Amino acid sequence: MHYQAINLNEKLSKFNEHWSPKVIGEMNDYQFKLVKIDGDFVWHDHQDTDEVFIVLEGEMFIDFRDGQVKISQGEMFIVPRGVEHKPFANKECHIMLVEPRGVVNTGGTESELTAVNDIWI
C-alpha cells in the first residue's frame, strides 16, 4: 500500500478551468472533487443525492427559489436532494464537493457547463 496525503493546493494548481470538477479521491461510492468556480452556474437539482459544498478559498453563494446562502472560506453547506439551486461566485472560489460517483454537475439540466465525469488529477 502507498501511504501519501493528498495535497489540496497541489491538486488545485493542476487546472484552471471553472465549473469542471476534478476527482482527487474516493471513499466507498463517494468521490471527493475539487472545483474552481467564477461567475454564474445554472439552475439545477439532484434528485437522488444531497450535495455538499466546502469552501477552501474565497466565498460563494447559492441561490434558491426562496432565498440565498453565502458560504465563506472554512465553511460548508449541504443542499438537500431535489432542491433547485444555482451556485455562483463574484470572483474565483475554490471548493470541494463530496458526492456519489457518477453525479452530473448540472443534474438533469443540459448546459454548456455540463462537465465530463470522473476526470482524475
Side-chain angles (χ1 to χ4, degrees):
M1 180 132 206
H2 182 67
Y3 299 102
Q4 183 173 346
I6 297 169
N7 184 303
L8 302 180
N9 288 327
E10 185 264 328
K11 295 291 187 182
L12 282 161
S13 74
K14 292 186 175 213
F15 66 98
N16 292 314
E17 62 265 35
H18 296 121
W19 302 110
S20 184
K22 307 296 186 216
V23 181
I24 61 166
E26 284 186 338
M27 180 183 71
N28 302 319
D29 291 330
Y30 281 79
Q31 291 183 323
F32 294 80
K33 300 176 181 179
L34 295 180
V35 189
K36 293 180 179 180
I37 67 172
D38 193 6
D40 285 318
F41 200 55
V42 296
W43 282 102
H44 70 286
D45 64 32
H46 301 280
Q47 288 298 312
D48 298 323
T49 186
D50 301 334
E51 184 175 26
V52 64
F53 293 84
I54 303 166
V55 175
L56 304 173
E57 181 179 318
E59 68 181 17
M60 67 174 291
F61 300 84
I62 303 175
D63 279 339
F64 299 95
R65 296 296 183 185
D66 61 352
Q68 183 184 85
V69 64
K70 174 184 172 186
I71 314 163
S72 298
Q73 182 172 325
E75 296 180 332
M76 65 179 266
F77 184 82
I78 300 168
V79 177
R81 74 183 70 211
V83 174
E84 194 174 24
H85 59 287
K86 183 181 73 66
F88 70 94
N90 293 325
K91 60 182 181 176
E92 187 172 272
C93 177
H94 300 170
I95 64 175
M96 180 184 292
L97 302 173
V98 182
E99 55 195 18
R101 186 182 309 117
V103 168
V104 176
N105 68 330
T106 54
T109 304
E110 289 295 322
S111 167
E112 67 276 359
L113 294 176
T114 301
V116 176
N117 253 337
D118 291 324
I119 303 297
W120 285 74
I121 57 167

